[in-house]
Amino acid sequence: MDTATRPSVPTALLVAFGGPAAAGALLGLRAGAADALAQAGALPAVMAGTAALTLPALYIGASILGLVPAADVMARATLAALRATGLLLLGLAPALAFLIATLPSPSVALALVAAATAGAVLAGLRTLHLALSAAAPADRPPLLLTALLTGWSLAALAIGGQLFFQHVA
């Protein structure tokens, strides 16, 4: 994405955390406004916490392997991935709202939001992979970056899933 079409950082952050906030709010909607507000803050916090806990390890690993030329490239790729995740959750929010409103069980609502969040995170991870692949030096084997991202993604998904079920569910 060139600079003419790239969203501003505040806009990208608003989308990145607005999607999880909307999905989280839907989980707490049945219990009332206070619970919806608490859940609206919990899911973005889990996503931000997971990123803060895991991204330094990815950057260090990529640097050691000579795969990412500069920190600003990693920051832009991360922001693009978070934005893609949030955008997908924002797009799914109306359908989730309809399903959650018509479902009799809160546990099914949790499963729907968890599945939507997992799918959105996977789309974000794909965006991260594409952005880092585009910035990787041509003399490094592409499979090296894919292997690093796969291992890191599995660890990040495990940490994020644990945080989700501790603080959102």
Side-chain angles (χ1 to χ4, degrees), residues 80-161:
L82 288 171
R83 181 180 174 275
T85 300
L87 194 58
L88 187 52
L89 283 172
L90 280 172
L92 290 172
L96 284 172
F98 173 76
L99 290 171
I100 289 170
T102 58
L103 288 171
S105 170
S107 61
V108 176
L110 176 63
L112 282 172
V113 171
T117 302
V121 166
L122 290 174
L125 289 172
R126 170 123 172 95
T127 301
L128 181 65
H129 183 264
L130 292 174
L132 292 179
S133 293
D139 65 336
R140 306 303 294 169
L143 190 57
L144 190 58
L145 178 63
T146 300
L148 175 67
L149 281 170
T150 300
W152 173 81
S153 295
L154 291 172
L157 286 169
I159 291 168

